[in-house]
Amino acid sequence: MNLPFQNDALGKLTLRLTVGILILFHGVYKILNPGSLDFISTLLANVNLPQILAYGVYLGEVVAPLMVILGIFSRIGGLLIFGNTIFAIALAHRDELFTFTDHGGYALELQIFFLLTGLAVFFLGSGRFAIKPD
């Protein structure tokens, strides 16, 4: 039975726009403030990874969100967001994995949101409202 507000395609579009737009803000910030790559490079060097990997943030926070927003290879974009967030948690937030905020919330709420919504886009795909539906 189809209920009047039951629409998988609109639900997928809402998910794609939410995660895509919110993580794109992070990427635009990094484009406008290229010095933020120095911080990421330092984190990579601290765990003996090549500093050139810092440029991967543009893939995970600019290209992938645009893919997800527009619905062009959305599943791949979701997977890139997922991978980008794994790196962000492992490099910059690992000390906060088991901590809470002063207000009782989980310290990594935003990072876990990006991680799981990227994974959800990977599993669900773009839906009908996409440039290249899958």
Side-chain angles (χ1 to χ4, degrees):
M1 174 166 141
N2 264 345
L3 300 173
F5 297 106
Q6 187 176 9
N7 188 322
D8 289 348
L10 280 177
K12 290 176 183 180
L13 177 63
T14 303
L15 173 68
R16 284 184 16 239
L17 292 177
T18 301
V19 66
I21 291 169
L22 289 177
I23 203 163
L24 184 60
F25 283 122
H26 290 260
V28 169
Y29 174 82
K30 287 176 179 72
I31 289 171
L32 297 176
N33 299 282
S36 61
L37 284 186
D38 295 337
F39 174 70
I40 298 168
S41 294
T42 302
L43 294 173
L44 288 164
N46 289 343
V47 292
N48 297 320
L49 288 173
Q51 294 181 354
I52 192 81
L53 290 177
Y55 290 97
V57 76
Y58 294 126
L59 186 63
E61 294 184 6
V62 177
V63 176
L66 290 174
M67 292 169 68
V68 168
I69 291 166
L70 298 173
I72 303 170
F73 300 106
S74 294
R75 291 180 191 269
I76 295 170
L79 194 59
L80 289 170
I81 290 170
F82 177 82
N84 182 77
T85 308
I86 291 286
F87 263 88
I89 291 170
L91 292 174
H93 300 285
R94 64 180 172 265
D95 295 340
E96 300 169 273
L97 272 173
F98 303 105
T99 60
F100 295 94
T101 66
D102 293 338
H103 304 287
Y106 182 47
L108 297 182
E109 286 175 351
L110 183 62
Q111 291 78 12
I112 298 302
F113 171 81
F114 288 144
L115 182 80
L116 296 178
T117 53
L119 192 62
V121 170
F122 171 71
F123 286 130
L124 293 171
S126 65
R128 283 194 334 249
F129 302 117
I131 290 176
K132 186 182 180 310
D134 53 15

